[in-house]
Amino acid sequence: KKYELQLKFCDQVLKELMGPKNWYLNQYFTHPVDPVALNIPTYFQIIKKPMDLGTIRNKLNNNVYEKAKDFEEDVRLIFKNCYKFNPEGDLVNTAGHQLEELFNKLWAG
Ligand SMILES: Cc1ccc(Nc2c(-c3ccc(O)cc3)nc3c(C)cccn23)cc1
């Protein structure tokens, strides 16, 4: 009840981030990174706390987040992981920066 309104806003923001309009950016972040499928065997040695938009969707649906701040932390973890693994200038790194810009705009309300 207490943070219901905050979490409704999170849902709205997530819908936009994951929406088809932004597929060219979110396509890399909608599912957990699969190191086997992507042939990046070292991923879990580099990234200790994997996160993705699909996992966030599940956590939001299952009321795992108590408040908006917890949701925001997970979203920003996606970008942090992306920049740590994908070198500046790479396709996925650039997509991460652009999705982060969109998130910052949406988050500012
Ligand atoms: C050899 C190689 C190099 C880079 C990548 N990056 C990458 C990532 C990725 C996303 C978030 C993240 O924290 C790390 C990686 N997701 C993808 C996808 C879905 C397709 C192609 C490349 N992708 C994959 C393989």
Side-chain angles (χ1 to χ4, degrees), residues 27-29 33 38-40 43 47 78 81-83 85-86 90 92:
Q27 63 181 295
Y28 307 102
F29 310 106
V33 171
L38 294 174
N39 189 24
I40 45 179
Y43 187 73
I47 302 301
I78 296 174
N81 292 344
C82 173
Y83 307 147
F85 184 82
N86 299 285
D90 264 23
V92 176

Side-chain angles (χ1 to χ4, degrees), residues 17-78:
L17 283 184
M18 295 187 80
K21 210 160 38 73
N22 300 304
W23 179 82
Y24 71 108
L25 299 179
N26 64 43
Q27 63 181 295
Y28 307 102
F29 310 106
T30 52
H31 299 83
V33 171
D34 179 348
V36 174
L38 294 174
N39 189 24
I40 45 179
T42 61
Y43 187 73
F44 292 139
Q45 282 128 48
I46 299 164
I47 302 301
K48 297 303 176 197
K49 290 170 70 182
M51 188 47 64
D52 67 280
L53 294 168
T55 298
I56 292 173
R57 166 47 69 209
N58 291 335
K59 287 174 78 171
L60 198 57
N61 290 351
N62 299 322
N63 301 308
V64 170
Y65 297 122
E66 192 208 333
K67 55 187 175 302
K69 190 83 193 121
D70 304 332
F71 166 88
E72 179 185 13
E73 258 164 43
D74 269 356
V75 174
R76 297 202 184 284
L77 178 56
I78 296 174

Side-chain angles (χ1 to χ4, degrees), residues 17 72 76 79 99-109:
L17 283 184
E72 179 185 13
R76 297 202 184 284
F79 303 134
L99 195 67
E100 183 181 16
E101 273 169 34
L102 172 60
F103 176 68
N104 289 340
K105 281 194 182 66
L106 295 168
W107 200 242

